[in-house]
Amino acid sequence: MSEKKRITPAAAALTVVCLLVIGALIAFDLFLSGRECKEQTVAMDTVVTVTVNGRKSKNTAEKICQLVSTLEKENFSRYISGSDVYKTNSSKGSSVEVGSSTVDCINAAIKVSEASHGAFDITAGGIVSLWGIGTDSERVPSQAEIDLALASVNYKAIAVSGSSVSLSGGSVIDLGAIGKGAACDEIRKVLEEAGAQRCVAAVGGSVLLYGDGEFSVGIRDPFGKADDCIGSLKLNACCVSTSGSYERFFRQDGKKYHHIFDARTGYPAESGLASVTVVADSGVYSDALSTACFILGYENSLDLLKEFHAQAVFVTDNGEIKITDGLAGNFERKN
Ligand code: ADP
Ligand code: MG
């Protein structure tokens, strides 16, 4: 008969301790992977709010805030000396080496310029400066001034070859209508690298929804206060951008002058819309298209949206809400 092995009290105690330690480690791991962290900063002339879930969520959220500031300083700002856009605007036609995020952004902008027949045009910098909306020098310029500034608006003056960009004809690049969306695309890369589970990153009116499952995004009431919503969209991972005439404007003689210009006329767009929210796979397109659709108006935007496989919610000047077919079931109106 074989001898029975006895478990000593010490061995039993050790087993219990080991199981407790393993349990604690699993619980800690689950805790870390589900942990949510929120960070906020001001960059690109707007508020950036990032909420990340997953391991190292604090570190990732901080990295993202830093990234948006860097993109502003090194790539997209036309006002910060040394940025890609600043260098291109000052290059007097010679070619400039720029970063890959600048190249991606400019190439996407050119596509939207072509598709919108020049209503959207990132070389409208001269028009943006002339009106000075949101600055101390905002004013209604004379027709002669507008004509002069319009002469330099021409996206065809931009030539991109690999990582070189050149700009001719005195044009001035302004990425105000696309840079925040481009930042969302760069943020997605950081999240992928960090193995983040879920993230909502809002760079002003451009929002990246990242990760599995459903998100709910409120659409601001263009006639209400900053936190009033007309409704919300239920969406899976994507990018959402809103352009509206309520963001930056001034009034003169009872007329409202806002910051989204029809690049073909040099005047603030009057297309019967108060806001447009565009849903697309990428940030560059959601941002550029929301501006382009705002300029073109509801009817003229439908083909443009189709071309870029994007969807939109339009709010007209009289408060009517119009939704493209692909989003109709996702929108919930607030009563
Ligand atoms: P916001 O900057 O308020 O999020 P938009 O994305 O619609 O709104 O971009 C508006 C900005 O785009 C303006 O402040 C200006 O810098 C730039 N812009 C204005 N009109 C045009 C246009 N027709 N084409 C390209 N950019 C424009
Ligand atoms: Mg835009």
Side-chain angles (χ1 to χ4, degrees):
M1 227 170 90
S2 65
E3 203 181 307
K4 252 193 184 172
K5 276 190 182 156
R6 286 256 171 93
I7 299 171
T8 64
L14 191 65
T15 309
V16 170
V17 169
C18 284
L19 287 174
L20 282 174
V21 169
I22 290 166
L25 284 173
I26 290 169
F28 188 60
D29 191 53
L30 283 174
F31 167 72
L32 279 186
S33 59
R35 208 163 72 159
E36 181 171 293
C37 184
K38 188 172 171 180
E39 292 287 326
Q40 208 165 53
T41 190
V42 173
M44 295 193 174
D45 208 14
T46 193
V47 179
V48 180
T49 308
V50 187
T51 309
V52 183
N53 291 83
R55 276 194 199 89
K56 297 184 274 173
S57 54
K58 184 165 172 58
N59 186 276
T60 307
E62 284 171 355
K63 226 187 210 173
I64 288 170
C65 286
Q66 187 57 51
L67 169 74
V68 183
S69 298
T70 307
L71 285 169
E72 179 187 20
K73 286 189 196 105
E74 294 182 2
N75 301 88
F76 302 149
S77 172
R78 61 179 275 209
Y79 305 105
I80 301 175
S81 114
S83 78
D84 287 344
V85 169
Y86 187 96
K87 284 192 283 187
T88 306
N89 284 341
S90 342
S91 67
K92 299 198 173 84
S94 48
S95 72
V96 173
E97 282 299 302
V98 301
S100 61
S101 42
T102 309
V103 171
D104 293 348
C105 182
I106 290 177
N107 280 331
I110 292 172
K111 283 194 186 133
V112 176
S113 299
E114 274 166 2
S116 69
H117 307 290
F120 175 93
D121 191 324
I122 53 162
T123 62
I127 291 290
V128 174
S129 301
L130 180 63
W131 285 82
I133 312 268
T135 71
D136 293 343
S137 54
E138 57 190 14
R139 68 188 175 94
V140 181
S142 70
Q143 186 62 50
E145 290 174 301
I146 290 174
D147 289 343
L148 191 65
L150 264 186
S152 70
V153 180
N154 178 14
Y155 65 88
K156 291 176 184 152
I158 309 171
V160 184
S161 169
S163 57
S164 304
V165 177
S166 65
L167 183 67
S168 56
S171 296
V172 182
I173 293 180
D174 178 318
L175 297 182
I178 189 170
K180 295 186 257 317
C184 289
D185 293 334
E186 297 303 319
I187 292 170
R188 186 194 279 119
K189 293 179 192 165
V190 171
L191 292 164
E192 280 165 358
E193 223 167 83
Q197 276 179 348
R198 219 171 133 89
C199 172
V200 177
V203 184
S206 284
V207 183
L208 168 73
L209 307 175
Y210 177 90
D212 294 333
E214 203 175 62
F215 299 80
S216 176
V217 179
I219 295 183
R220 183 172 156 178
D221 177 357
F223 310 104
K225 291 195 266 356
D227 49 2
D228 289 344
C229 283
I230 50 153
S232 61
L233 280 171
K234 297 258 180 290
L235 299 165
N236 293 320
C238 65
C239 290
V240 190
S241 297
T242 301
S243 289
S245 54
Y246 53 82
E247 279 292 351
R248 284 170 208 204
F249 66 88
F250 70 95
R251 283 185 199 279
Q252 188 173 305
D253 302 327
K255 197 167 160 49
K256 182 174 170 181
Y257 298 95
H258 61 78
H259 73 311
I260 303 173
F261 303 98
D262 185 329
R264 300 164 299 188
T265 66
Y267 282 86
E270 287 186 45
S271 61
L273 296 175
S275 80
V276 186
T277 298
V278 171
V279 177
D281 286 341
S282 79
V284 275
Y285 289 115
S286 67
D287 196 359
L289 289 172
S290 69
T291 309
C293 291
F294 185 91
I295 301 163
L296 293 174
Y298 173 69
E299 295 288 346
N300 292 328
S301 292
L302 299 177
D303 282 345
L304 181 71
L305 290 165
K306 266 199 197 118
E307 191 174 333
F308 288 91
H309 310 289
Q311 304 289 334
V313 177
F314 298 81
V315 184
T316 68
D317 274 340
N318 51 23
E320 217 182 314
I321 301 172
K322 297 181 178 188
I323 306 168
T324 54
D325 293 344
L327 271 188
N330 304 53
F331 182 73
E332 199 173 300
R333 200 188 171 123
K334 196 180 155 200
N335 299 311

